[in-house]
Amino acid sequence: TQLLEQSPQFLSIQEGENLTVYCNSSSVFSSLQWYRQEPGEGPVLLVTVVTGGEVKKLKRLTFQFGDARKDSSLHITAAQPGDTGLYLCAARTSGTYKYIFGTGTRLKVLA
Amino acid sequence: NAGVTQTPKFQVLKTGQSMTLQCAQDMNHEYMSWYRQDPGMGLRLIHYSVGAGITDQGEVPNGYNVSRSTTEDFPLRLLSAAPSQTSVYFCASSVRADTDTQYFGPGTRLTVL
């Protein structure tokens, strides 16, 4: 069974701090996605990373795909209260059209 | 475009009742999927479809049926509801099965008593 493990599960920080969220697996994926979910809503895609070692930036968010395409990280610089939410990583299991999701990192940024 | 729509938003069932959760998309997407989200467990894939007339099981298919008679609609049927099926259900779609960008609906919160 392929699993995506996210850490930390919960994170509460002050506005202006930096943070990193991790998504790890023992499996190799062709691509990996990061979503953000707000209470009462469905997840919204932030980014898809495809190439091992790839780094993508979305304003204050930096996403990296591991060289071996087994893990990924999300770094937020100078966090703001608007970054509060549940961050989920997801990947398609190899050779199928089935997606698996990590258990999520619940981030709270305090003003 | 309305995107992905789900009805109802909330539903309460008694054990043993059956019901259908509706999902529709107006983006002409080939791939559609159903997930359930439980506290601390992320999203788990129930069933998915790579196109009209084609469905397959996901990680947790037991107790659920799906059909895909049109590109737009992908209903999820609970055959005989159980308390273990209390969850938030999300439908999602993407252009194709391998485009890896899923658009999610707003969810249906289901409680089974």
Side-chain angles (χ1 to χ4, degrees), chain A residues 9 30-31 33 35 37 40-45 48 86 88 92 96-104, chain B residues 9 31 35 37 40-43 45 48 50 57-59 90 94 97-102 104-106:
Chain A
Q9 279 192 304
S30 56
S31 71
Q33 297 83 49
Y35 290 82
Q37 184 180 19
E41 299 181 7
V44 175
L45 181 72
T48 296
L86 178 67
L88 297 160
R92 180 159 49 91
T96 77
Y97 296 120
K98 299 180 182 182
Y99 290 86
I100 57 172
F101 277 76
T103 51
Chain B
K9 284 190 71 72
Y31 184 86
Y35 295 87
Q37 186 173 34
M41 299 193 72
L43 281 85
L45 182 64
Y48 67 98
V50 299
Q57 295 182 348
E59 182 185 356
F90 289 100
S94 62
D98 61 352
T99 51
D100 294 341
T101 300
Q102 295 192 78
F104 283 82

Side-chain angles (χ1 to χ4, degrees), chain A residues 97-99, chain B residues 3-6 21-35 45-58 66-76 90-99 101-105:
Chain A
Y97 296 120
K98 299 180 182 182
Y99 290 86
Chain B
V4 179
T5 58
Q6 291 184 239
L21 306 185
Q22 301 292 343
C23 174
Q25 52 90 10
D26 60 358
M27 299 174 283
N28 202 33
H29 285 177
E30 291 183 357
Y31 184 86
M32 296 186 74
S33 54
W34 275 103
Y35 295 87
L45 182 64
I46 304 171
H47 286 285
Y48 67 98
S49 168
V50 299
I54 307 170
T55 64
D56 206 346
Q57 295 182 348
V66 292
S67 60
R68 184 100 179 267
S69 56
T70 67
T71 299
E72 294 78 21
D73 300 298
F74 191 43
L76 177 72
F90 289 100
C91 178
S93 73
S94 62
V95 175
R96 294 188 318 272
D98 61 352
T99 51
T101 300
Q102 295 192 78
Y103 297 87
F104 283 82

